[in-house]
Amino acid sequence: MDNTQKKKKSFKLPTAYTVLLIITAVIAIVTHFIAGVKPASLADFVMAPINGLNDSIDIAIFVLLIGGFLGITTKTGALDAGIGSVVSKLKGKELILIPVLMFLFSLGGTSFGMAEETIAFTALVTTTMIIAGFDPLVAVATIILGSGCGVLGSTVNPFLVSVSIGSLNVAGIPVNQGVVIATNTILWIVSLLISIYFVMSYAKKVYNDKNESILSKSEIEHANEAFIGNKSGEEEVIEFTKKRKIVLGLFAFTFIVMVAGIIPWEEFGINLFIYTDFLTGSSLGNWWFSELGVWFVIMSIVIGIVYGMKEGEIVDAFLAGAADMVGVALVIGVSRGISVIMNTTGLDAYVLSKASNVLVGMSPIVFTIVAYLIYMALTFFIPSTSGLAGLSMPIFGPLAVSLGFRPEVVISIFSAGSGIVNLVTPTSGVIMGTLAIAKVDYESWVKFVTKVLLAIFIASAIILSVAMMIIK
């Protein structure tokens, strides 16, 4: 057994920070061998993580403030008591949590591009899954694959669909959004069903036998200590008092308002919230990380007061919770540094230009598969869906039309290609941030998700190829 552990240790990947810095260094070196691209200087490489943190400072601060909010809520004991109560009522039926939560997260992904926002749910879902008898990997898979499959099959996601259509319209290409919605709905449902199958199969094995977990002993103990309070994962029974029930109600209300704040209601023709700007200056539906962060601070104070905590206790609990998220905030910044150095050197535009040239003269099915693969490669370097849409659609859209293909299918190809890579890429702050909070190593996530991605890739390639052939 000792030899096995030593062997496993020898293959362990370095930390997320090291992996991201290695990728940044490789990209910087590659720029010196490509004509037409500005060679990255030592200063470009050194400053990339800091510039990445500057670019993502809104998300980083948001994560810290969420940590503070969770610190106060956790101190009240309401979360543990509430989750324990729910799980006890589901005794023997805990698996039902997985498809329900994955569908809800996917609904957020397909409708308003729910991605970074899922970081706020990680601690809650991880605690729930551990208490339910699963491991932290089940929580990570539920969140990432749930919301990710929704984004992969974006129907009305403004950050992907609206930006893509807008970019094509500017280029003089009309788009039938109904076709995009129909095709992407199929992508969404199929990829979600595949993901639910794999996650539930794994969760069932872990539930029946903890030795079936692919996580290392140290990962499991680290997560148990962080979310349950002890390495064994044995939950301490906490009384679900009336005061804790009120706190849990306020906790739920906080997240309901958060979701309402980021759904672009007015784009869907709903003007119900146009007069809700009295609190932050922006109405619900127009909130972003600054407004969301302030909202979590306000509710942290409210929860602390309602529970009867003193001013000093509220501040101490908030700071302790925020401190737990410092590593997550730094990971998000370092991962964004990769996109920064790509943009600084012009490597992103170079790759995009060369990729479009490859597609000229191809048959519909070959065009579909190759475009799918190209978008997967591009997403590794440009994980932002709105950023990649704005850069690529003015190039790929006219190219598809000139070859006699429908631009709507190109949007779906982009949606699937960027969506599948953003389920695993280390350049995504969402992936690295979620893993960091749940105490799951990137290596373990890759080991689990590889089969899921392969199944989703094959299914999506078939769906897109059929769409390319029948949509004229």
Side-chain angles (χ1 to χ4, degrees), residues 136-432:
L137 184 59
V138 174
V140 170
T142 297
I143 295 169
I144 293 178
L145 291 177
S147 62
C149 287
V151 176
L152 185 153
S154 292
T155 49
V156 291
N157 172 9
F159 303 106
L160 191 150
V161 178
S162 297
V163 174
S164 296
I165 292 176
S167 298
L168 290 174
N169 288 340
V170 169
I173 299 174
V175 176
N176 184 337
Q177 189 169 352
V179 173
V180 177
I181 291 175
T183 305
N184 284 12
T185 296
I186 298 173
L187 288 171
W188 165 34
I189 299 301
V190 171
S191 62
L192 179 62
L193 290 175
I194 290 171
S195 297
I196 289 174
Y197 168 77
F198 277 100
V199 177
M200 289 188 72
S201 297
Y202 173 76
K204 188 175 182 179
K205 287 194 297 184
V206 172
Y207 184 83
N208 293 327
D209 183 1
K210 295 298 183 289
N211 292 323
E212 290 292 332
S213 174
I214 66 175
L215 299 182
S216 65
K217 183 180 178 181
S218 63
E219 284 176 281
I220 293 175
E221 288 181 348
H222 194 188
N224 287 342
E225 199 162 18
F227 298 105
I228 305 300
N230 58 74
K231 292 184 178 180
S232 67
E234 294 180 3
E235 180 199 3
E236 178 186 352
V237 179
I238 299 177
E239 185 182 358
F240 199 19
T241 62
K242 182 178 180 180
K243 190 178 287 188
R244 286 183 174 135
K245 289 178 181 179
I246 294 173
V247 168
L248 199 61
L250 291 171
F251 180 87
F253 175 70
T254 303
F255 281 91
I256 290 171
V257 173
M258 184 198 86
V259 173
I262 56 181
I263 296 176
W265 300 106
E266 292 173 32
E267 290 192 20
F268 302 144
I270 300 174
N271 298 314
L272 184 64
F273 301 105
I274 57 175
Y275 298 112
T276 57
D277 58 353
F278 58 89
L279 185 63
T280 65
S282 297
S283 58
L284 292 177
N286 294 298
W287 282 15
W288 204 228
F289 293 113
S290 295
E291 291 82 4
L292 292 173
V294 168
W295 172 244
F296 276 102
V297 171
I298 291 172
M299 291 308 296
S300 297
I301 297 170
V302 170
I303 287 174
I305 292 173
V306 168
Y307 194 71
M309 296 168 65
K310 296 179 181 178
E311 179 268 342
E313 291 178 320
I314 293 175
V315 172
D316 289 344
F318 189 91
L319 292 178
D324 289 339
M325 293 292 187
V326 170
V328 180
L330 291 176
V331 163
I332 291 171
V334 175
S335 65
R336 182 67 66 88
I338 296 172
S339 297
V340 169
I341 202 167
M342 287 279 294
N343 183 260
T344 301
T345 60
L347 185 58
D348 51 0
Y350 174 86
V351 172
L352 190 61
S353 175
K354 293 298 180 182
S356 64
N357 293 335
V358 173
L359 296 171
V360 177
M362 290 184 173
S363 64
I365 294 180
V366 176
F367 176 94
T368 301
I369 302 301
V370 174
Y372 190 6
L373 293 171
I374 286 175
Y375 264 119
M376 288 174 65
L378 289 171
T379 301
F380 179 82
F381 299 109
I382 312 173
S384 167
T385 52
S386 58
L388 185 53
L391 283 171
S392 67
M393 281 301 150
I395 298 173
F396 284 11
L399 175 61
V401 172
S402 69
L403 295 173
F405 305 141
R406 288 290 293 267
E408 292 87 353
V409 183
V410 175
I411 294 177
S412 295
I413 293 172
F414 159 51
S415 183
S418 66
I420 195 170
V421 172
N422 277 326
L423 296 175
V424 70
T425 177
T427 61
S428 167
V430 178
I431 296 293
M432 304 310 287

Side-chain angles (χ1 to χ4, degrees), residues 67-133:
F69 170 77
L70 291 173
I72 290 177
T73 307
T74 301
K75 190 173 180 63
T76 67
L79 274 182
D80 291 339
I83 292 171
S85 176
V86 171
V87 171
S88 65
K89 292 177 181 178
L90 288 173
K91 200 64 180 176
K93 300 178 182 178
E94 292 89 349
L95 279 171
I96 195 66
L97 288 167
I98 295 170
V100 170
L101 289 175
M102 289 184 74
F103 174 74
L104 291 175
F105 282 127
S106 75
L107 198 59
T110 191
S111 60
F112 60 89
M114 190 178 197
E116 287 89 351
E117 300 85 357
T118 58
I119 293 175
F121 295 93
T122 304
L124 173 63
V125 175
T126 304
T127 304
T128 302
M129 292 304 179
I130 292 175
I131 293 176

